[in-house]
Amino acid sequence: SKTTIIFLLFGIVSLLVSQYYLSYDSGAAFYLIESRAWELLIGSLLAYGFFPKCKSRVLLESMSVGGVALVLACAHFYSRSLSFPGFLALLPCLGSALIIAAGQQRDTFGARLLSFKPVVFTGLISYSLYMWHWPLRVLYGEQFSTIFSKGEKIALVFATYSLAVLSWAIIERP
């Protein structure tokens, strides 16, 4: 349909804008909506059932496991030395889309992984995690050092998680 073509073109242009911004302003590429709209478009297409249904359990499991593998590979191999988002954001976005698309149709490995209670709870407090992580990192870095040891990283994750749970319980949940 014409609408589908328009959305796909819009997504491609947004992705190209993201890659272009990386060449002169990585902050713009990361924060401006026109360079990240394509990511939201993928989620919107999933929500509206754009992707075709599949009856093959093997294919759905392959999509799910492949999606988990893509997301984990990005988490492991992506570093500050890489230009992100741009084209590199395609891999975690496509991985996430594969997990969700397969899980919408059948109970898959990815769906079971995401329904694991600690993962669900982390999702519940994710906004608070997002809100606390950067201030703690910056304040700690200004006070002590911007180069963190493993122990300091673990302590900061624990502090962030603890404050997120409190914020969620006291502010978000009520």
Side-chain angles (χ1 to χ4, degrees), residues 121-133 135-136 158-174:
F121 183 71
T122 300
L124 286 174
I125 66 166
S126 64
Y127 184 71
S128 288
L129 282 168
Y130 172 74
M131 295 304 288
W132 279 111
H133 87 282
L136 283 176
F158 180 77
T160 301
Y161 208 89
S162 299
L163 288 169
V165 169
L166 283 172
S167 293
W168 173 77
I170 295 168
I171 298 167
E172 289 185 65
R173 197 163 175 223

Side-chain angles (χ1 to χ4, degrees), residues 104-162:
Q104 286 176 330
Q105 299 176 55
R106 171 171 254 146
D107 183 34
T108 60
F109 170 74
R112 288 188 303 278
L113 183 66
L114 292 176
S115 66
F116 185 53
K117 294 236 185 268
V119 175
V120 171
F121 183 71
T122 300
L124 286 174
I125 66 166
S126 64
Y127 184 71
S128 288
L129 282 168
Y130 172 74
M131 295 304 288
W132 279 111
H133 87 282
W134 195 248
L136 283 176
R137 185 184 189 285
V138 169
L139 291 171
Y140 186 86
E142 284 181 1
Q143 187 67 34
F144 300 103
S145 171
T146 56
I147 299 171
F148 305 133
S149 69
K150 274 218 188 288
E152 288 170 318
K153 288 178 184 177
I154 290 169
L156 282 169
V157 167
F158 180 77
T160 301
Y161 208 89
S162 299

Side-chain angles (χ1 to χ4, degrees), residues 20-129:
Y20 171 75
Y21 278 177
L22 283 176
S23 64
Y24 74 92
D25 186 355
S26 61
F30 190 84
Y31 290 108
L32 295 180
I33 188 66
E34 63 265 23
S35 63
R36 302 298 289 268
W38 67 272
E39 297 173 49
L40 297 170
L41 181 63
I42 290 172
S44 299
L45 292 172
L46 280 166
Y48 283 102
F50 172 79
F51 298 96
K53 300 293 179 206
C54 173
K55 299 212 185 294
S56 168
R57 178 152 184 88
V58 172
L59 181 58
L60 290 171
E61 279 298 342
S62 298
M63 289 169 54
S64 178
V65 170
V68 170
L70 272 175
V71 171
L72 291 176
C74 293
H76 181 74
F77 292 112
Y78 281 18
S79 68
R80 288 181 187 214
S81 65
L82 298 174
S83 295
F84 191 85
F87 295 143
L88 284 179
L90 266 171
L91 295 178
C93 289
L94 290 177
S96 298
L98 286 169
I99 296 166
I100 294 166
Q104 286 176 330
Q105 299 176 55
R106 171 171 254 146
D107 183 34
T108 60
F109 170 74
R112 288 188 303 278
L113 183 66
L114 292 176
S115 66
F116 185 53
K117 294 236 185 268
V119 175
V120 171
F121 183 71
T122 300
L124 286 174
I125 66 166
S126 64
Y127 184 71
S128 288
L129 282 168

